[in-house]
Amino acid sequence: MMKPEYSCIIAEDHPRCRNTLIQYATKLGLRVVDTPGSGNALIDAVFKFMPDLIITDILLDRMDGITACKHIQRQGFAPPVIIVSRSTEPRHYSAGFELNSIDYINLPIPYDRFAKAVTKAKHRIEQHKTLSLLQQDAQNYIQVKHKYRTVNVAENSIVFVEKVDKRRFEIHLTDGTIMDTSTNLERIQDRCSEWIMTPHRSYLANIKHIETVIPDPIIQGNYLIVYPHINQNIPLTRRNYDHFLRLVHKLKISEAF
């Protein structure tokens, strides 16, 4: 048995078929993170676990698998899909094609056919990951004033920026250094991508480096951003909390490709 490298969700409401799919998927090196039996539960599971692969029947409870996958794709998340179904209706084959599914396999499931579909899905996953790494390598550099000189700082190296006083700001970097700058928060944010957000009027925060967010024990309704290896929590106001959640959701989707 291969070491699980990729996560998958298996959406199937028939226990015998579900057990077969779990056995096949595990044998092929997939880590099964959930096995919902309805289309609605499939949607919830996908956005909870952000799997590399979806394996779904069409005829699920309450909402069919095709409709559920289309809803997931409209939200901007499109992992590869393998369809397994008893249905031989042309409209379902057509819908699977429109979904750009890896394969449409009729039950009972031939192991060899399923294995080929999983191999093809893994290739597609790797292509997406390679593209994502290439995009990450194209780092965004921003210019700030430091000791009367203009210097370039990689956006990805920024953890957070703090306003110390009217004309002095501190850029906290991933290597633990702190850079003084006279470039204000507004100008820094204008030069950054959307991942650098304003959690509080005196701060900028890079959401890519956040470890967790906890309720503020003093100000009810506010939160604190926690970064790993940094002994300072950044305030996150309730006014900015919804925007923070949207960015985190979008970041999870982009990292899944």
Side-chain angles (χ1 to χ4, degrees), residues 152-169:
N152 292 316
V153 179
E155 178 184 312
N156 286 345
S157 69
I158 297 174
V159 180
F160 68 92
V161 185
E162 180 179 5
K163 179 179 180 180
V164 179
D165 57 40
K166 190 174 180 179
R167 293 184 177 84
R168 181 168 166 256
F169 306 84

Side-chain angles (χ1 to χ4, degrees), residues 109-122:
I109 308 164
Y111 176 78
D112 290 345
R113 172 84 174 267
F114 184 75
K116 288 179 181 178
V118 169
T119 298
K120 187 175 179 181
K122 289 180 178 181

Side-chain angles (χ1 to χ4, degrees), residues 16-245:
R16 182 177 296 178
C17 183
R18 180 170 59 245
N19 290 338
T20 299
L21 285 169
I22 292 172
Q23 291 174 13
Y24 285 0
T26 303
K27 185 177 180 179
L28 291 166
L30 298 174
R31 178 168 50 90
V32 181
V33 295
D34 203 0
T35 57
S38 71
N40 292 338
L42 171 57
I43 293 171
D44 292 341
V46 165
F47 289 112
K48 178 180 180 181
F49 294 103
M50 307 301 286
D52 295 309
L53 172 65
I54 297 173
I55 302 167
T56 183
D57 192 357
I58 292 180
L59 305 177
L60 301 175
D61 290 338
R62 294 193 293 279
M63 180 191 297
D64 67 85
I66 293 288
T67 301
C69 287
K70 285 182 177 179
H71 175 84
I72 292 164
Q73 290 183 354
R74 285 196 296 270
Q75 301 304 309
F77 184 47
V81 176
I82 297 174
I83 298 172
V84 291
S85 181
R86 291 176 177 81
S87 174
T88 57
E89 294 187 29
R91 64 187 179 93
H92 286 155
Y93 287 115
S94 177
F97 178 78
E98 293 174 2
L99 198 64
N100 195 27
S101 61
I102 295 292
D103 201 355
Y104 187 117
I105 306 173
N106 285 121
L107 301 176
I109 308 164
Y111 176 78
D112 290 345
R113 172 84 174 267
F114 184 75
K116 288 179 181 178
V118 169
T119 298
K120 187 175 179 181
K122 289 180 178 181
H123 286 318
R124 187 177 295 183
I125 293 166
E126 284 303 316
Q127 287 173 350
H128 284 310
K129 288 185 176 181
T130 299
L131 178 60
S132 178
L133 289 173
L134 290 173
Q135 291 172 340
Q136 290 177 14
D137 287 341
Q139 285 198 57
N140 177 36
Y141 285 87
I142 62 171
Q143 291 187 337
V144 297
K145 292 290 185 180
H146 173 63
K147 295 182 178 179
Y148 305 103
R149 296 187 300 112
T150 298
V151 297
N152 292 316
V153 179
E155 178 184 312
N156 286 345
S157 69
I158 297 174
V159 180
F160 68 92
V161 185
E162 180 179 5
K163 179 179 180 180
V164 179
D165 57 40
K166 190 174 180 179
R167 293 184 177 84
R168 181 168 166 256
F169 306 84
E170 290 182 346
I171 303 175
H172 294 249
L173 303 174
T174 52
D175 64 0
T177 61
I178 301 173
M179 177 185 294
D180 281 332
T181 181
S182 58
T183 306
N184 63 35
L185 299 181
E186 291 76 13
R187 291 198 176 191
I188 293 175
Q189 188 172 29
D190 285 344
R191 296 166 184 173
C192 291
S193 71
E194 62 184 332
W195 308 125
I196 306 294
M197 67 161 293
T198 303
H200 181 279
R201 63 187 178 187
S202 297
Y203 292 88
L204 295 177
N206 189 338
I207 68 170
K208 289 188 174 184
H209 299 313
I210 292 175
E211 180 178 278
T212 188
V213 171
I214 61 175
D216 190 318
I218 299 175
I219 305 176
Q220 187 175 5
N222 284 8
Y223 300 84
L224 296 174
I225 293 172
V226 180
Y227 285 109
H229 314 302
I230 293 181
N231 296 322
Q232 180 177 347
N233 296 333
I234 310 305
L236 173 60
T237 66
R238 79 178 81 184
R239 175 182 296 180
N240 296 314
Y241 185 66
D242 287 343
H243 178 56
F244 164 76
L245 289 180

